Amino acid sequence: MTRILIAEDEPRIVAFLEKGFRANGFATATASDGQAACDLASSKDFDLLILDLGLPKKDGWAVLEELRGRGEQLPIIILTASDSVYDTVAGLESGADDYVTKPFRFEELLARVRLRLRSSRTPQSSETMLLQTGDISLDLRSHQVTVGDRQIELSAREFALMETFMRNPGQIITREHLLKHVWGYDHEPSSNVVHVYVGYLRKKIGEDYIETLRGMGYRFQP
Ligand code: CA
């Protein structure tokens, strides 16, 4: 059974989440402060962590930092009280896999959880593990990226974005497509998160690979 750790200090939200997850066949456990969240997340007993940013003892940012600092791979979805681009982008850069803005509908969170669980599952060994286009290669298993003879470090989200470009070289990819396939959105949020992340990628791999087509989207030209 898939086990979800809920790090949230507000009893009303905890009850709401537990009820929803259990009704959908998940097992849950809760941590009402950041310290307990870190301890439980390290137990390897969980498949995913729902992390509120505003937690006592140790806030969600510190929990993220500690877990990712220890190399903990557990998928993490943060709950933020605001939908400011700063918080969400900072959260994703700190190693969260996704975020949901309060107040949220349970179905929305559930969709994100399912998406993250699916993408964190180990791919089949029969699948191609190395994507290569031009002088860029992506190892889907080790998440190693090389451009020419340079080894590049990408965050989980940058890697997912890069993978999408690599699978569609020379094609126009719309912002909506990227939001759906890399971020898991069915609707368009008002943030410019795609633009921000394409900027991060350009800084790391080089400015010339990804072209912006105004009003249309992006095109990866290896
Ligand atoms: Ca809180």
Side-chain angles (χ1 to χ4, degrees):
M1 190 182 259
T2 305
R3 301 201 52 184
I4 297 186
L5 175 59
I6 302 166
E8 167 64 73
D9 59 327
E10 213 172 303
R12 193 178 50 85
I13 298 180
V14 171
F16 166 71
L17 292 178
E18 284 199 305
K19 182 165 161 257
F21 282 122
R22 286 176 183 171
N24 283 279
F26 295 90
T28 59
T30 56
S32 57
D33 65 66
Q35 188 55 56
C38 279
D39 295 344
L40 281 168
S42 313
S43 67
K44 308 281 176 208
D45 287 341
F46 298 96
D47 301 292
L48 186 137
L49 168 64
I50 307 280
L51 177 65
D52 179 31
L53 286 178
L55 287 174
K57 290 192 186 167
K58 197 178 255 190
D59 68 14
W61 298 108
V63 173
L64 260 183
E65 192 182 357
E66 182 171 334
L67 292 177
R68 292 307 189 222
R70 288 205 294 249
E72 187 60 66
Q73 301 283 315
L74 184 71
I76 300 175
I77 297 178
I78 52 177
L79 300 179
T80 70
S82 69
D83 59 355
S84 86
V85 176
Y86 173 77
D87 265 6
T88 53
V89 170
L92 296 173
E93 274 297 280
S94 309
D97 297 279
D98 209 340
Y99 69 93
V100 171
T101 307
K102 290 178 180 178
F104 54 87
R105 290 184 312 120
F106 182 76
E107 290 67 29
E108 185 192 353
L109 177 62
L110 184 63
R112 301 292 178 77
V113 165
R114 290 200 161 125
L115 188 77
R116 294 274 70 89
L117 289 171
R118 224 173 21 240
S119 59
S120 70
R121 216 167 283 149
T122 321
Q124 297 300 305
S125 55
S126 58
E127 265 183 60
T128 306
M129 287 291 109
L130 197 68
L131 275 182
Q132 192 136 22
T133 315
D135 61 350
I136 304 184
S137 71
L138 246 63
D139 187 321
L140 300 177
R141 203 180 337 229
S142 67
H143 275 208
Q144 277 186 339
V145 182
T146 51
V147 178
D149 49 13
R150 276 190 307 145
Q151 188 105 343
I152 312 264
E153 290 284 327
L154 296 184
S155 70
R157 185 77 56 174
E158 289 163 357
F159 190 91
L161 184 58
M162 193 64 215
E163 184 183 339
T164 307
F165 281 128
M166 295 278 285
R167 288 187 188 278
N168 303 282
Q171 292 175 33
I172 297 171
I173 306 177
T174 62
R175 182 170 167 269
E176 291 71 28
H177 178 93
L178 293 172
L179 282 168
K180 183 161 186 199
H181 289 85
V182 178
W183 278 266
Y185 292 118
D186 284 326
H187 61 282
E188 198 170 327
S190 53
S191 81
N192 62 349
V193 67
V194 174
H195 176 76
V196 170
Y197 269 78
V198 167
Y200 291 151
L201 269 187
R202 283 185 179 134
K203 277 207 189 76
K204 292 185 175 179
I205 65 169
E207 297 289 334
D208 302 332
Y209 293 97
I210 304 165
E211 193 185 348
T212 301
L213 302 156
R214 194 170 286 276
M216 292 163 76
Y218 300 92
R219 183 163 51 198
F220 172 62
Q221 297 279 29

